[in-house]
Amino acid sequence: RHPRLQGDWSSDVCSSDLNPFDRLKGTAKVADRDWRYVTRDETRAICAACPNLSWRAFFLLCRLAGLRRDEALMLPWSAIDWENHRLKVLAKKTGRERIVPIEPELFAVLLEAYEAAAEGEELVVSLAHVSRPSLRRRFHSICKAAGITPWEECFQVLRRNCETRSEEHTSELQSPCNL
């Protein structure tokens, strides 16, 4: 995204005076003001405040698996690979399929929801318990019940939190000079 900054980093690391991106104009992107990191403690508090198992599954699919709102709502049970702890998600937005790892906390909730699901229920999140028209408003009331101030763009923030957490847990990047 920011080749000029990468060039600065690589020239520092490689102790080279040349930055091939110096002639590019532009600056680094300004941080998003709506960004909010939802901590593990806040995640647990929101999860505890969810009114039912469908809401817990929906919330954790968005927060821990990084699913988009509609992906979480329309996820079928058949998309869960129970043995390998993975989800197969068809992104409606891009039309591509991706494999998403299931974290242990999410796995436990999915297993509990599967055991409690009605006979013939096809979707992980029961639409009888999670109303689509009032998702944002209901999520804000759940946050307030958990003692957490709700934030704007709640479902996008949850997805971004998952991406940020994934980046934090990846191994250290190698210097381009050592490749």
Side-chain angles (χ1 to χ4, degrees):
R1 270 188 164 163
H2 307 291
R4 202 164 146 203
L5 295 176
Q6 289 173 344
D8 288 343
W9 174 80
S10 65
S11 63
D12 290 345
V13 172
C14 302
S15 61
S16 169
D17 293 334
L18 298 175
N19 180 350
F21 303 107
D22 266 345
R23 64 177 177 232
L24 294 177
K25 293 184 170 89
T27 58
K29 191 175 180 181
V30 177
D32 190 357
R33 284 187 219 143
D34 292 336
W35 170 248
R36 182 187 193 294
Y37 186 76
V38 181
T39 66
R40 281 290 189 181
D41 290 337
E42 290 173 328
T43 299
R44 286 187 195 102
I46 292 170
C47 201
C50 287
N52 55 49
L53 199 49
S54 285
W55 262 103
R56 273 198 305 275
F58 173 65
F59 168 67
L60 290 177
L61 283 167
C62 293
R63 172 62 181 89
L64 298 179
L67 270 57
R68 293 177 179 95
R69 181 186 62 212
D70 287 340
E71 292 171 349
L73 287 173
M74 301 311 294
L75 185 71
W77 288 113
S78 60
I80 300 175
D81 179 354
W82 296 101
E83 292 177 15
N84 297 314
H85 294 236
R86 293 181 181 166
L87 299 171
K88 189 187 310 182
V89 181
L90 178 63
K92 189 176 176 183
K93 181 177 177 179
T94 63
R96 295 193 313 205
E97 190 175 277
R98 68 184 192 277
I99 304 296
V100 179
I102 302 174
E103 291 194 27
E105 295 167 74
L106 174 58
F107 188 81
V109 170
L110 290 176
L111 190 58
E112 185 182 352
Y114 183 73
E115 292 169 354
E119 186 79 26
E121 183 76 42
E122 292 183 23
L123 300 177
V124 173
V125 177
S126 172
L127 297 179
H129 296 110
V130 178
S131 173
R132 200 180 270 248
S134 61
L135 278 175
R136 187 173 168 271
R137 184 171 16 112
R138 183 69 175 137
F139 183 72
H140 281 197
S141 67
I142 291 169
C143 287
K144 288 177 186 173
I148 296 167
T149 304
W151 57 91
E152 293 299 315
E153 304 295 334
C154 47
F155 300 108
Q156 290 86 346
V157 166
L158 293 174
R159 180 169 163 78
R160 286 174 75 185
N161 272 246
C162 181
E163 290 172 358
T164 300
R165 189 168 185 284
S166 295
E167 289 171 7
E168 289 171 354
H169 285 85
T170 55
S171 60
E172 295 274 324
L173 294 174
Q174 287 187 342
S175 165
C177 299
N178 297 335
L179 297 177

